[in-house]
Amino acid sequence: MIERKTSPTHDAPYRGLRVLDFGQGIASPYCAMLLGVYGAEVIKVEPPEGDWSRYLGTTYGSHTALSAVYNRGKRSLCLDLKHDEGIRIARRLASDCDVFIEGFRPGVAARLGIGYEDLARDNPGLIYLSVSGFGQDGPYSKRPGSDSVAQAFSGLVSVNVGNDKTPHRVGTTISDVATGVYAFQAIATALFARATVGTGRWIDVSLTQSTAALLGHKVAEHVLEGAAPRALNVPAGSYQTRDGWVMVTLVNESQYKRLCTAIEREDLASDPRFLDFAKRADCADVLIAQMRDVFLTQSSETWLGRLHAADIIAERILNPGDWLHNVHVEATKSAVCQDTPGVGLVCAPRTPGFMGLSEDKLRPAPDVGADSRAVLLDAGFDGDAIDNFISAGVVRTSGR
């Protein structure tokens, strides 16, 4: 591997790290983006039609909101792996990278000749990440996966039952995002080990396992309490007010009594049906119905004033636009907004735990093949060879 003379910093601890991102969608691209946030050089390798996330939703130029957010900080190489020459280019790039990320169905990368065993022979220090729906092994490994499938299979949908008594998918790509974070964590630990051990490894991260990991105590409850565990902390939950919605949370008995005082329903605190969490869980429908009637009588601001004065954990329910323009979010610079050519202003939450402001300077998500020529020149290909690749359709550039 070519030695790269760079100086990592706290703002860019992965400076000098080279990443090849063959992933599409959200999970694997998000993992690669996180590596870029921390200073890595990330090359996004896309097929001629581009990453499919570029077409999932409303399009703005060559992007949707998904592709514009999760591909920041990357350069795009458009490479057709249906050509043998495309495979050879991929293998050459992989021989000089630190992290290789792929999201093909299990077995496809190996069939193409870019599986871990193929690449590790020439690059034993390679950290190789495979992201899939159900993992690389097991009876379901060949099944297609998606965020919705992962939410359903893991049990997440089953615990998200609405007032209509129907289990619902969570309204964002939580399985994809969680998978990207767990994958990033796994790569970080592998890089730390490589510094001592000297060799890389193959990492297998799946959407279904990552989503199940979010349900920790729910899985334990089903074993300890049976198939229908009690609801936690009744009457915690969301309540409609005269002009919006608020979320109320309770974690101990004294908070319940203070809540009843704050809403001027001390009778609910002394009612024998509601004396502790267990009893309230058994009578949840009766209690919550009364609480709903009370909250409808005042505005969200009025209720929050009363609840916070009583030291009750509560907050207004915001939509993403409300959150973006909230005074606390603005004061703490919790969002990053960046102009993306052909798209407009792209705003996204700042990466948690990252203390510097270099995320504000990440390059915008690229067009398909926007950096193909530059990436190959950096890899040591000469201009004539690159022109031949482009003429043969092995490599595509932006606009072709």
Side-chain angles (χ1 to χ4, degrees), residues 70-397:
Y70 298 112
N71 289 294
R72 292 172 292 151
K74 305 178 185 180
R75 296 194 292 167
S76 174
L77 164 64
C78 185
L79 190 63
D80 193 344
L81 297 181
K82 294 178 182 177
H83 289 261
D84 290 342
E85 197 63 53
I87 298 296
R88 282 192 284 271
I89 292 171
R91 289 176 62 91
R92 179 162 167 179
L93 293 171
S95 69
D96 186 37
C97 77
D98 299 281
V99 178
F100 186 102
I101 297 173
E102 61 92 2
F104 302 111
R105 286 198 191 183
V108 171
R111 189 163 65 247
L112 291 173
I114 53 173
Y116 173 68
E117 292 182 358
D118 295 308
L119 301 183
R121 279 194 291 269
D122 297 324
N123 185 357
L126 182 66
I127 307 296
Y128 189 106
L129 170 72
S130 294
V131 175
S132 62
F134 290 87
Q136 300 299 303
D137 300 302
Y140 289 6
S141 62
K142 302 300 183 184
R143 291 187 178 185
S146 69
D147 184 274
S148 296
V149 165
Q151 289 194 33
F153 180 83
S154 69
L156 180 58
V157 172
S158 75
V159 300
N160 191 40
V161 178
N163 292 333
D164 58 0
K165 306 302 180 183
T166 299
H168 292 276
R169 175 188 179 276
V170 175
T172 188
T173 53
I174 189 170
S175 295
D176 276 313
V177 171
T179 302
V181 174
Y182 281 121
F184 173 76
Q185 169 189 274
I187 288 173
T189 60
L191 287 168
F192 186 84
R194 188 182 72 169
T196 301
V197 178
T199 56
R201 61 167 298 184
W202 186 10
I203 300 170
D204 174 12
V205 177
S206 72
L207 271 70
T208 50
Q209 184 65 29
S210 297
T211 312
L214 298 178
L215 273 70
H217 75 278
K218 286 294 183 183
V219 175
E221 281 179 349
H222 273 259
V223 174
L224 296 171
E225 299 186 38
R230 282 192 175 104
L232 291 179
N233 301 353
V234 173
S238 55
Y239 291 94
Q240 188 173 9
T241 67
R242 184 181 293 172
D243 61 355
W245 291 81
V246 295
M247 178 64 70
V248 179
T249 303
L250 305 173
V251 296
N252 58 51
E253 290 294 347
S254 63
Q255 287 178 342
Y256 174 68
K257 294 177 181 178
R258 297 201 304 273
L259 171 63
C260 293
T261 300
I263 65 173
E264 298 179 347
R265 286 296 306 270
E266 289 87 348
D267 59 301
L268 296 178
S270 59
D271 190 313
R273 295 173 297 174
F274 312 138
L275 287 182
D276 57 38
F277 277 128
K279 287 184 171 64
R280 291 195 293 275
D282 292 337
C283 299
D285 289 346
V286 175
L287 175 58
I288 290 173
Q290 295 189 62
M291 301 287 285
R292 285 174 178 159
D293 289 341
V294 173
F295 275 96
L296 282 170
T297 64
Q298 302 290 338
S299 68
S300 296
E301 191 66 27
T302 298
W303 285 127
L304 288 175
R306 292 187 186 182
L307 295 172
H308 290 164
D311 197 26
I312 299 298
I313 306 169
E315 192 49 73
R316 184 180 279 103
I317 295 177
L318 305 178
N319 64 40
D322 295 332
W323 177 86
L324 185 64
H325 298 294
N326 179 269
V327 292
H328 180 77
V329 171
E330 292 177 343
T332 55
K333 295 181 172 61
S334 297
V336 178
C337 292
Q338 182 181 50
D339 186 59
T340 300
V343 178
L345 193 65
V346 174
C347 296
R350 191 177 298 281
T351 301
F354 185 66
M355 302 302 293
L357 295 178
S358 59
E359 188 170 0
D360 300 71
K361 300 177 182 178
L362 282 180
R363 63 169 66 211
D367 287 342
V368 181
D371 308 287
S372 293
R373 187 178 294 275
V375 167
L376 294 180
L377 285 171
D378 289 348
F381 292 96
D382 62 50
D384 290 339
I386 296 171
D387 288 338
N388 290 335
F389 294 150
I390 294 171
S391 298
V394 177
V395 172
R396 311 286 178 92
T397 58

